[in-house]
Amino acid sequence: MIKFLDLYKINQLHKKDLQDAFERVLESGWYIMGSELRNFEEKFCQYTGAKYTIGVANGLDALVLIIRAYKEMGIFKDGDEIIVPSNTYIASILAISANNLNPILVEPILETYNLDYRLIESRITEKTVAILPVHLYGQLCDMDKICEIGVKYGLKVIEDCAQSHGAKSPKGCSAGNFGDAAGFSFYPGKNLGALGDAGAITTNDANLAETISALLNYGSRVKYENIYKGVNSRLDELQASLLSVKLASLDNETELRRKVANRYLEEINNQKIILPIVDFQESHVWHLFVIRTENRTDLQQYLTNAGIQTVIHYPIPPHKQKAYEELNDLSLPISEKIHQEVISLPISQVMSDQEVSRVIEVVNNY
């Protein structure tokens, strides 16, 4: 079986360094909000170019805390609206509704699966306070256009970078450093994955960073003095130390993913398969290699029978989920088409040439 993602093999690449990091944390006797966290935050600032990185418990919390902080700062309020792509993973939308704001779903560009900036202005109302673009599957949105709209209408731009660690624009700007703030996930399956749940926020806004830092720690800047009704969403010392180890190799591992993706793009030639579109190589870090086909169920079974594991990202669009019954009547045909047709092929930095060749052969024979 060719696994969709072999996390065991991926982490074996770093086994000795990960073990050393674990021993260092164990022996330190300090496990929450210590030097390992500060070290990772500094390194991630250097990596993204952002002035501030704040480690949090997971990627969803990262987005929730950004929006919550803007509420505490008096910039957002209950009932405000945030524009978000309609085909994203539901976490992007949960972060909005969890703060009593309203998600305004906007269709993606079919060829790139990312938010269609051409549709944003038509959905802006007097209640709109932000745009939340998602760099889906690892490819940057058109952030120049989105940020221009944000400036024009005085809207915050909050990037969802859960799948795009290390993606860069042609001008060299990195995911997490385009808008006003960004949320990252370090879930184990991400390109930069912890060995458990973990996340981070990046921003260049000192006031926002200070507010988030208090909110995530029970609403406290000084121990036992609580200025907000905060939460507990701290990135622990162990996960921070492990992430520091893996961050050092992220760019090299991204290049290995790109080699797999480029082979797929060049060698898959089945007319029944729609391949992803990439405008600029460095803007895509290939968290996922997503293809489309009209009969996805048949293709997935065919690949399974051939010993190739696939995953569907994602089978049900957010506006058709029971959790969002109030959105169930929306007509979003592009998103619905995407969710009905997409299927993700195996891709990772540990796939062998033979495994890649086998996937290509089987897909071409479908």
Side-chain angles (χ1 to χ4, degrees), residues 84-98:
V84 63
S86 52
N87 63 314
T88 183
Y89 181 57
I90 201 166
S92 313
I93 297 168
L94 287 171
I96 299 170
S97 58

Side-chain angles (χ1 to χ4, degrees), residues 32-33 65 211-226 228 230-234:
I32 296 287
M33 299 184 74
L65 284 164
T211 303
I212 291 169
S213 295
L215 283 170
L216 67 85
N217 188 35
Y218 299 97
S220 174
R221 294 194 182 107
V222 178
K223 194 168 186 178
Y224 303 131
E225 294 181 15
N226 304 83
Y228 306 114
V231 297
N232 176 10
S233 182
R234 300 176 297 200

Side-chain angles (χ1 to χ4, degrees), residues 251-266:
D251 285 345
N252 290 336
E253 294 185 9
T254 297
E255 287 306 314
L256 294 174
R257 284 176 171 269
R258 286 182 177 137
K259 287 181 180 180
V260 176
N262 287 336
R263 284 200 61 194
Y264 284 162
L265 292 171
E266 293 168 3

Side-chain angles (χ1 to χ4, degrees), residues 74-260:
I75 296 171
F76 297 172
K77 63 182 184 303
D78 287 357
D80 282 342
E81 297 174 348
I82 295 181
I83 289 170
V84 63
S86 52
N87 63 314
T88 183
Y89 181 57
I90 201 166
S92 313
I93 297 168
L94 287 171
I96 299 170
S97 58
N99 280 290
N100 295 317
L101 275 72
N102 295 319
I104 303 301
L105 306 187
V106 173
E107 291 266 58
I109 299 169
L110 181 59
E111 291 76 18
T112 65
Y113 310 116
N114 277 336
L115 179 63
D116 191 340
Y117 65 87
R118 299 166 298 186
L119 303 178
I120 292 174
E121 289 188 84
S122 67
R123 303 305 306 278
I124 294 173
T125 73
E126 61 182 13
K127 292 185 176 181
T128 308
V129 292
I131 308 168
L132 201 162
V134 182
H135 306 309
L136 201 61
Y137 309 146
Q139 180 165 215
L140 288 180
C141 298
D142 192 330
M143 292 306 296
D144 287 343
K145 294 288 197 309
I146 291 171
C147 289
E148 284 176 11
I149 295 170
V151 171
K152 180 178 178 180
Y153 290 92
L155 308 177
K156 297 296 182 184
V157 176
I158 302 167
E159 296 173 73
D160 185 335
C161 300
Q163 302 182 359
S164 59
H165 318 67
K168 292 183 179 180
S169 73
K171 297 177 183 178
C173 189
S174 293
N177 199 26
F178 287 95
D180 296 279
F184 285 84
S185 168
F186 304 125
Y187 180 77
K190 304 298 186 183
N191 290 26
L192 178 59
L195 271 66
D197 266 326
I201 294 161
T202 56
T203 184
N204 294 313
D205 183 334
N207 290 333
L208 180 66
E210 185 178 26
T211 303
I212 291 169
S213 295
L215 283 170
L216 67 85
N217 188 35
Y218 299 97
S220 174
R221 294 194 182 107
V222 178
K223 194 168 186 178
Y224 303 131
E225 294 181 15
N226 304 83
I227 54 177
Y228 306 114
K229 296 174 183 176
V231 297
N232 176 10
S233 182
R234 300 176 297 200
L235 177 59
D236 67 70
E237 288 287 277
L238 179 58
Q239 297 301 339
S241 71
L242 303 178
L243 287 166
S244 291
V245 168
K246 297 180 76 174
L247 179 60
S249 302
L250 180 56
D251 285 345
N252 290 336
E253 294 185 9
T254 297
E255 287 306 314
L256 294 174
R257 284 176 171 269
R258 286 182 177 137
K259 287 181 180 180
V260 176

Side-chain angles (χ1 to χ4, degrees), residues 18-91:
L18 293 173
Q19 289 176 330
D20 289 346
F22 174 81
E23 288 292 332
R24 186 173 65 247
V25 174
L26 177 65
E27 295 300 323
S28 74
W30 192 286
Y31 308 120
I32 296 287
M33 299 184 74
S35 60
E36 296 290 347
L37 175 61
R38 292 192 296 272
N39 179 53
F40 173 71
E41 290 174 338
E42 290 171 5
K43 287 181 176 178
F44 205 64
C45 282
Q46 294 169 7
Y47 187 79
T48 61
K51 290 182 180 178
Y52 305 99
T53 294
I54 307 106
V56 296
N58 55 69
L60 173 58
D61 279 6
L63 296 176
V64 169
L65 284 164
I66 291 167
I67 299 170
R68 171 74 188 281
Y70 279 131
K71 289 182 70 178
E72 295 291 352
M73 295 165 70
I75 296 171
F76 297 172
K77 63 182 184 303
D78 287 357
D80 282 342
E81 297 174 348
I82 295 181
I83 289 170
V84 63
S86 52
N87 63 314
T88 183
Y89 181 57
I90 201 166

Side-chain angles (χ1 to χ4, degrees), residues 272 292-300 340-341 366:
K272 296 179 181 178
R292 294 195 349 259
T293 189
E294 290 185 358
N295 195 342
R296 176 178 66 196
T297 302
D298 184 60
L299 174 60
Q300 187 170 46
Q340 289 166 2
E341 296 181 350
Y366 171 65

